[in-house]
Amino acid sequence: MRNFFYKIPQSLRKNRLIAYGLLVLTIATCFTGMGRLSRDDSIESWLGEKSPVIQQQRELERVFGNNEDMAIIVEAKDGDIFSEQSLLALHRLHEKLQSYRSRLQTDPNTPLNHIREIVSLVNVPVNDVNGDSLYTHPFIGSSIPKSTQGRQTMRARALSDIDLLRRFVSSDGRIAAISLKTDFGRLSDSNESTEKIDEAAIESQILGLDVDSLTKDETSNSDTEDTQVSKSPPLSYKEYALFSRAVKELVAEADVASSFTIHYAGLPELIAFHVTIGSENKVIFSGLFLIMMAVLLLLFRHPSFVLWCMCIPILTVILTFGLQGWSGLPSSDLAAAMALLLIIIGVADAVHIMAEYRRHRLGGDDHTKAIAESMSKAGLSCLLTSLTTMVAFLSLYLVKPNFHTATFGLFTTLGLGIAFILTLVLLPLLLDVWRPSYKNVSVSKIKENDNVDIENARGFYAWFPARVCQHPSLTLALFFAIFSPVMVGVIFLKVDSNPLESFDESTYIRQAAAVADKYMGGTQNIDFMVNTGAVDALYDARVLHTMDKLQQRMREHFGDLIVTDTSIVNVLKRINQQFHGNDSSYYVLPDNNEKLGQLLFLFNTASPDERRKLIGDDFDAAKITFGLRNSGSSAYIDLVNTANKWGGEMFSDLKTDYPELEVVTAGGVVIFMTLFERIADSQITCFLITLLVVTITLLFMFRSLKIGLLATIPNLVPVLVTFGVMGWLGVTMNNVTMIIAPIILGIAVDDTIHFVNRLRSLLEKGSSIDMSIRQTFLEVGKALTFTTVILSAGMLTLLYSSNAEFRAFAYLSSAALFTALAAEFMVTPALVKLFLTRTEKAPISEGKSYEVSA
């Protein structure tokens, strides 16, 4: 194998024109492929069309549409949302937002075309009783009360209406919310007739006609079971950012800043915020290149080495994304992470070969021999390190936690393979073009030659291994005395993820969430659809009463999470109360089918559009929506699992009459929890796959079962230290830090492979174990140090990110890499010294063997 790597530079030199031609052709092809690269961040692209959670979401959207809404929360600066000034400002803001319809006429492609409905205190429908009749009207309507008494009456009505409280107005009357219902998050496009109805509605609005009267009959049957739908086009998160910007421009035009403090919340705004901070990538990548070039220049002292080393990761990124473009597999939000890792890791092999080349040149070898020897000595190590790191990422593809993570794992693996091939092929050719002359090498520099007198060598890389060889047991004891207390923190490690809390409390998105959680209906939601599978089943009082019991049980058990709950049950209770003089004791469901049927009939007659948001057109399905406070994934998982369990148990008695009855759980929380659980479950498998490959590689390197197994210790230590640091600092295992274990293990073993491969080479030449260890430090110690510095510095550029999860990944990765280096300098040589003994002096290739001491 070493002979193979030794001959590569000579073979390339003879066929340089062919090599250059193939390289140019490959780059041109991949540049074209990059132009074909698409992006898809839609929900179904992450989980897959056949995912049960996607199917449930489709089922709910088929009946009730989506609920991925943006919330504009306005805080009255005078302390009363019902003061004349505040009501005028709210009315003005609502009207300005409604003007999106007219803008669609002049610019159909405006980002505002994602708006489907705008609801606030101005137009939210409320029910009132007049004799035996029920009628619906907008809460505020087209004009505000002129008298103080009228506004106070309106305030009292709002604060006593459970359907408005915390949904559109805070309990202290100081804050109001405007809901912008969007088509984001929809898994399917509406059918053609529905789109035409929307256009007709817009035209009618302009003409001043009653839109509802024109559309309600036509849309009533638009969402039937056999409606033909077409798949939505790939969705880019940039659309959320453009939408957010357009909405904020409308708000600015309303000129309400003097009356309100305005907050923006909801999933669309959270995604838009993510996109906005994505601009930080330019700074992160710029800093990454500057740091890498500075470290390379410090190590190699010549610009040619810096330039040629940086060519490898740059070309790797181009070729990898180009191949992904030709493959037809879409990119996602993980593209930046893939590019960052390819740049950081892709340069490592080049650094090792360049370091070996420089050492040979300083030792007096000419260019031809130096590059051949460098490839011979470092080539096998680079191959093995590339393979182990590739396995760490390939495991993400093999376990397939979701489509985009699997794609990320596949192409990162491919990219690392490309980086290795480019290192072998490109570096010799580039060094033929430009390299340091090394004409005046001083005697002091020649100390780095293979023939150096180890006993007289100076410096850290000579002194430290001598101490380790003299006191291996003490070295191990010292190492674990330092790091064991850190590793103990593993017992405090928690698995949890909270996307909002990954941002600083000073950011507007966190401030909006705090207001929404404290005063309004929370920042998240979960939907239940009780689908009986039988027409008019909701006229059965047992179904509605069971829904009522489920809502009450959920509120009582999860009172710290659930802020609001909305369903047809709430509406019917409220109507029943109104028919009994607003007596609060009548805020209950009637017991018999006849009375419930009358209330349902009245509500459907008075407000068919509002009824469609809560009950299917065939009265066979009903929706329950719970508004939730922001919390971690563990709390949400408990809520979702418990709700699913209770839903199945509480409706089980009705299955005799409704055998097709099912309780479907959907919404943003359910989808996020599904993604998180898949990632969490997959990482154990990923880690075990990587550990198995690392162990097999070490067994191959040592040719000894016991030593190979012992050698896994310095590679497991960085992982345990990382988890320990997370435990002590309270950093949770979230959807970002989850993937750190297999990646760190795959990278950490690189140092061991380079160290052991060089150690074996020296032992084959007949050197003693002590001399081989010390010589190994002199030859690869500096390269190991600088690759660790480069990798860590590259990771630390993520500290610039506004996302705390990325920052945690940065410093945790760096801590793991330096721990791996410390383990390589202390644990690996100490284990070799303690357990590896020579039994005969013939080279390994000629029958030399090593035994494990007792």
Side-chain angles (χ1 to χ4, degrees), residues 311-321 342 346 415-416 418-419 422:
C311 279
I312 302 301
I314 293 173
L315 290 176
T316 295
V317 171
I318 293 173
L319 297 182
T320 303
F321 280 104
L342 288 178
L416 293 175
I418 291 171
L422 286 176

Side-chain angles (χ1 to χ4, degrees), residues 655-702:
K655 288 224 170 182
T656 303
D657 296 324
Y658 305 104
E660 296 182 11
L661 188 148
E662 61 176 348
V663 179
V664 175
T665 312
V669 169
V670 177
I671 292 173
F672 172 70
M673 289 306 102
T674 302
L675 278 170
F676 179 76
E677 284 191 294
R678 283 194 181 184
I679 294 174
D681 293 341
S682 68
Q683 289 316 294
I684 298 175
T685 306
C686 289
F687 180 76
L688 293 176
I689 291 173
T690 307
L691 179 60
L692 176 62
V693 172
V694 165
T695 304
I696 292 173
T697 302
L698 293 174
L699 291 175
F700 167 76
M701 297 290 293
F702 277 104

Side-chain angles (χ1 to χ4, degrees), residues 161-461:
D161 192 332
I162 195 170
D163 294 330
L164 299 180
L165 206 59
R166 299 194 73 124
R167 292 182 61 209
F168 295 100
V169 61
S170 63
S171 56
D172 60 3
R174 188 171 54 88
I175 300 172
I178 302 175
S179 175
L180 277 65
K181 300 187 177 299
T182 74
D183 62 3
F184 288 126
R186 295 171 64 195
L187 300 177
S188 305
D189 288 332
S190 301
N191 59 27
E192 185 177 353
S193 63
T194 303
E195 296 297 330
K196 290 180 179 179
I197 291 170
D198 288 342
E199 293 175 7
I202 294 172
E203 292 179 6
S204 302
Q205 177 74 13
I206 294 173
L207 294 173
L209 301 176
D210 182 0
V211 182
D212 291 339
S213 64
L214 290 173
T215 61
K216 63 185 178 183
D217 292 332
E218 294 178 84
T219 59
S220 61
N221 296 314
S222 63
D223 288 327
T224 58
E225 179 123 11
D226 45 353
T227 296
Q228 298 297 315
V229 297
S230 59
K231 176 113 169 23
S232 301
L235 178 67
S236 170
Y237 282 168
K238 289 183 179 179
E239 294 183 45
Y240 287 86
L242 294 173
F243 172 75
S244 174
R245 186 185 309 164
V247 169
K248 289 173 182 176
E249 289 174 357
L250 277 183
V251 173
E253 291 176 14
D255 192 24
V256 294
S258 60
S259 301
F260 296 142
T261 299
I262 301 176
H263 306 280
Y264 300 90
L267 184 58
E269 186 59 27
L270 178 59
I271 295 175
F273 183 75
H274 270 283
V275 175
T276 301
I277 66 173
S279 60
E280 296 171 347
N281 288 338
K282 296 178 182 178
V283 178
I284 290 172
F285 279 95
S286 298
L288 173 63
F289 281 109
L290 290 174
I291 290 173
M292 290 177 67
M293 288 189 293
V295 175
L296 288 170
L297 188 60
L298 179 64
L299 173 62
F300 296 121
R301 313 290 177 84
H302 197 274
S304 64
F305 281 19
V306 177
L307 179 61
W308 300 150
C309 282
M310 292 303 297
C311 279
I312 302 301
I314 293 173
L315 290 176
T316 295
V317 171
I318 293 173
L319 297 182
T320 303
F321 280 104
L323 290 176
Q324 185 174 357
W326 281 113
S327 74
L329 295 174
S331 177
S332 71
D333 199 37
L334 296 173
M338 184 169 77
L340 183 74
L341 289 169
L342 288 178
I343 292 170
I344 294 172
I345 303 173
V347 78
D349 289 343
V351 171
H352 279 284
I353 290 178
M354 285 293 202
E356 195 69 35
Y357 172 81
R358 180 174 180 271
R359 192 177 64 81
H360 278 277
R361 291 304 308 273
L362 290 173
D365 291 342
D366 62 16
H367 165 68
T368 302
K369 183 179 180 181
I371 189 62
E373 289 288 346
S374 302
M375 298 289 282
S376 173
K377 292 179 179 178
L380 179 60
S381 297
C382 290
L383 172 61
L384 293 174
T385 57
S386 295
L387 288 175
T388 52
T389 309
M390 289 166 67
V391 167
F393 287 98
L394 185 62
S395 63
L396 293 172
Y397 173 75
L398 296 176
V399 300
K400 292 182 173 58
N402 57 68
F403 173 77
H404 286 306
T405 301
T407 303
F408 164 79
L410 175 63
F411 282 98
T412 304
T413 302
L414 181 63
L416 293 175
I418 291 171
F420 172 71
I421 295 172
L422 286 176
T423 301
L424 294 186
V425 174
L426 204 54
L427 278 188
L429 294 175
L430 293 174
L431 285 173
D432 283 348
V433 175
W434 184 30
R435 60 187 179 274
S437 63
Y438 294 110
K439 289 182 179 179
N440 300 312
V441 179
S442 65
V443 176
S444 63
K445 289 185 178 180
I446 299 180
K447 69 182 182 181
E448 297 185 63
N449 189 21
D450 278 348
N451 299 320
V452 66
D453 182 359
I454 300 297
E455 296 296 335
N456 296 320
R458 296 290 182 268
F460 173 80
Y461 296 103

Side-chain angles (χ1 to χ4, degrees), residues 13 51 88 111 137 144 165 170 218 227 325 540 604 670 685 844:
R13 197 171 290 112
S51 169
L88 286 171
H137 61 88
I144 65 172
L165 206 59
S170 63
E218 294 178 84
T227 296
D540 186 340
N604 185 45
V670 177
T685 306
I844 289 177

Side-chain angles (χ1 to χ4, degrees), residues 105-123:
Q105 297 299 301
T106 57
D107 182 13
N109 295 320
T110 174
L112 296 172
N113 62 10
H114 290 291
I115 298 177
R116 288 295 173 260
E117 185 182 11
I118 296 173
V119 185
S120 72
L121 286 173
V122 173
N123 68 335

Side-chain angles (χ1 to χ4, degrees), residues 61-72:
E61 288 186 3
R62 181 187 65 80
V63 181
F64 298 107
N66 76 303
N67 64 347
E68 195 167 299
D69 306 335
M70 178 179 180
I72 301 176

